[in-house]
Amino acid sequence: MSSVRLADFVKAYDVRGLVPEQLSPAVSRALGSAFAQVVVLPEGHGGVAVGHDMRASSPELARAFASGVAAHGVDVTMIGLCSTDGLYHASGALRLAGAMFTASHNPAAYNGIKLCRSGARPVGQDTGLDEVRDLAQWLLDRADLHGFVDGDPTGGDRVGTITERAMLGEYAAYLRSLVDLRGGRPLRVVVDAGNGMAGLTVPAVLGDPALGLALEVVPLFFELDGTFPNHEANPLDPANLRDLQAAVVEHEADLGLAFDGDADRCFVVDERGEPVSPSAITALVATREVAKEVAAGRPASEVAVVHNVICSRSVPEAIAELGARAVRTRVGHSFVKTQMAEHEAVFGGEHSAHYYFRDFWYADTGMLAAMHVLAALREQDGPLSGLVVGYDRYAASGEINSRVDDVAAATDRARAWARARGAVADTTDGLTMTATDEPRWWFSLRPSNTEPLLRLNVEADDETTMEQVRDAVLGLVRQEA
């Protein structure tokens, strides 16, 4: 039996593990073999596109995965260094299944894989990832028992081709076809790539003066470096935004953009250096996408926008005010993408700064969201802070993590406290309790997929109420048995 247990690091949405203790070339090859057998061949996909980020382990892991896929007669297109949304673009444009090697915002010791079907359709826990994991585990166990050093005793007679194809230029041109950034007032934008893949993609999309975009890009940490020498590529942590905030003020920029390691998420800072809530960005982009549909002749009532359970209440309110339909779903890209496809939604947003677009194969792209913000700011004379204030209506706690021994007991204590105050429960994703008597408030408690943590988000009509609810629920969650 293999000493590697895939269930420890193949999670609900993707693969994310330590290198090489968990994710090694042998494991990657077994996962490639399983992906070919479980998804690619049975579903008739024409091949697999494989891309990777700037981590030192990524190229070798990507090659190993490709060899596992090719062992079953499936052709592989290696697109090399790319952002995760660059891989999704390749999957959509080339009509190939896909595998992106990245650990996103995780520290340098980690790597991972995000899998998709052709057209960037998700492969998650409920849509094939469990089966891929189980077959890969069988292959690894059989390799240990029977000496199959390549981890793949079941390949067919034909070996698929492995070819290389550059896609960065096509990716950049496609994004620019969706949001026209020509014309309007000039803007100065500071971009913090965090030594991640935005250092490659931002210059390709926004940096060519010949495009006539009238954008001055001030770069921070554009050098690709998977050791993250300046700060972690995780803009969700406020500490990792400080360099960007200071640079926006120093350069008197109109806004700042921060991307995570694989550049599929984008965080926004206004002209004062203040972070803009991803929920406010979700509402802003939703407004633009709904307006575009209406301008094309589609009734607003037929336009759907997806948001996850921890987005601000400002998001469904803004969508409803447009006459469009808000669809609430679980946190996580596979769940959002599934709901978007089911409802033919034009856009979807998560409070983690993942933004999904129908015109981008229902996949998430931080770059396209950033382009919408730039376009919206350019269309009016005021600052970004004034543009987004109408989409940021409530006092919010932000996400607060608590390490607990008994997640169920802690959740039950919070549920009982809220029910005693007239709140109504929803268990779509973890526990959401909503109180509709004024002053209104709601909170979400969600267990982590990987750690004994509870994640708390609180929102209320006013700061005082939010703080009271936050402190009360935190006290109950952290209460010792």
Side-chain angles (χ1 to χ4, degrees), residues 13-357:
Y13 321 131
D14 56 19
V15 178
R16 202 76 62 92
L18 289 166
V19 175
E21 298 93 324
Q22 294 176 313
L23 186 54
S24 65
V27 169
S28 185
R29 192 179 197 283
L31 287 165
S33 173
F35 185 55
Q37 295 177 73
V38 171
V39 175
V40 181
L41 290 171
E43 298 178 7
H45 299 283
V48 179
V50 177
H52 64 80
D53 70 9
M54 67 292 146
R55 294 167 189 265
S57 60
S58 291
E60 183 181 20
L61 292 173
R63 287 193 298 270
F65 184 94
S67 70
V69 170
H72 297 276
V74 177
D75 295 334
V76 180
T77 301
M78 306 292 288
I79 68 169
L81 279 168
C82 64
S83 58
T84 289
D85 63 328
L87 185 279
Y88 292 149
H89 166 263
S91 174
L94 303 180
R95 299 182 181 178
L96 299 175
M100 174 66 188
F101 281 79
T102 180
S104 185
H105 62 277
N106 283 83
Y110 287 82
N111 214 322
I113 317 171
K114 295 181 178 180
L115 299 172
C116 66
R117 294 171 164 83
S118 64
R121 290 175 293 143
V123 177
Q125 191 173 59
D126 300 326
T127 54
L129 188 54
D130 279 359
E131 290 84 353
V132 170
R133 177 200 65 204
D134 292 345
L135 178 54
Q137 186 70 65
W138 182 85
L139 291 170
L140 290 168
D141 293 343
R142 185 175 174 85
D144 277 5
L145 285 169
H146 301 290
F148 291 98
V149 294
D150 66 356
D152 180 18
T154 58
D157 293 333
R158 177 187 179 270
V159 176
T161 61
I162 300 178
T163 58
E164 296 182 1
R165 175 168 176 168
M167 293 292 294
L168 181 60
E170 295 175 56
Y171 157 82
Y174 184 72
L175 290 182
R176 290 194 297 266
S177 75
L178 298 178
V179 177
D180 189 355
L181 289 174
R182 295 169 298 178
R185 60 173 170 142
L187 295 176
R188 177 180 297 159
V189 52
V190 181
V191 179
D192 185 343
N195 298 109
M197 291 313 304
L200 179 73
T201 58
V202 169
V205 177
L206 303 177
D208 186 351
L211 296 171
L213 303 184
L215 287 174
E216 179 187 350
V217 177
V218 179
L220 290 182
F221 316 132
F222 271 35
E223 304 81 8
L224 301 183
D225 189 339
T227 67
F228 307 112
N230 295 288
H231 59 70
E232 287 187 356
N234 179 18
L236 195 59
D237 183 345
N240 297 324
L241 288 177
R242 289 172 186 158
D243 291 323
L244 176 64
Q245 292 172 290
V248 166
V249 174
E250 177 188 350
H251 292 278
E252 298 182 345
D254 296 288
L255 73 163
L257 304 172
F259 291 87
D260 65 347
D262 60 336
D264 62 347
R265 287 190 297 158
C266 179
F267 286 73
V268 180
V269 167
D270 71 19
E271 78 288 349
R272 305 166 302 173
E274 294 296 323
V276 179
S277 162
S279 286
I281 299 300
T282 295
L284 170 64
V285 178
T287 298
R288 290 175 53 82
E289 290 287 59
V290 171
K292 184 170 68 174
E293 291 294 291
V294 171
R298 189 178 179 190
S301 60
E302 295 181 4
V303 182
V305 174
V306 173
H307 64 95
N308 72 19
V309 298
I310 60 172
C311 277
S312 169
R313 291 296 187 265
S314 299
V315 174
E317 288 176 2
I319 296 166
E321 288 161 9
L322 297 167
R325 183 164 51 92
V327 178
R328 185 170 175 267
T329 190
R330 294 177 63 183
V331 173
H333 72 92
S334 61
F335 303 116
V336 175
K337 291 173 184 175
T338 299
Q339 288 297 304
M340 285 189 68
E342 181 178 333
H343 293 273
E344 298 183 349
V346 67
F347 174 65
E350 295 198 86
H351 196 65
S352 56
H354 282 286
Y355 305 106
Y356 307 78
F357 295 83

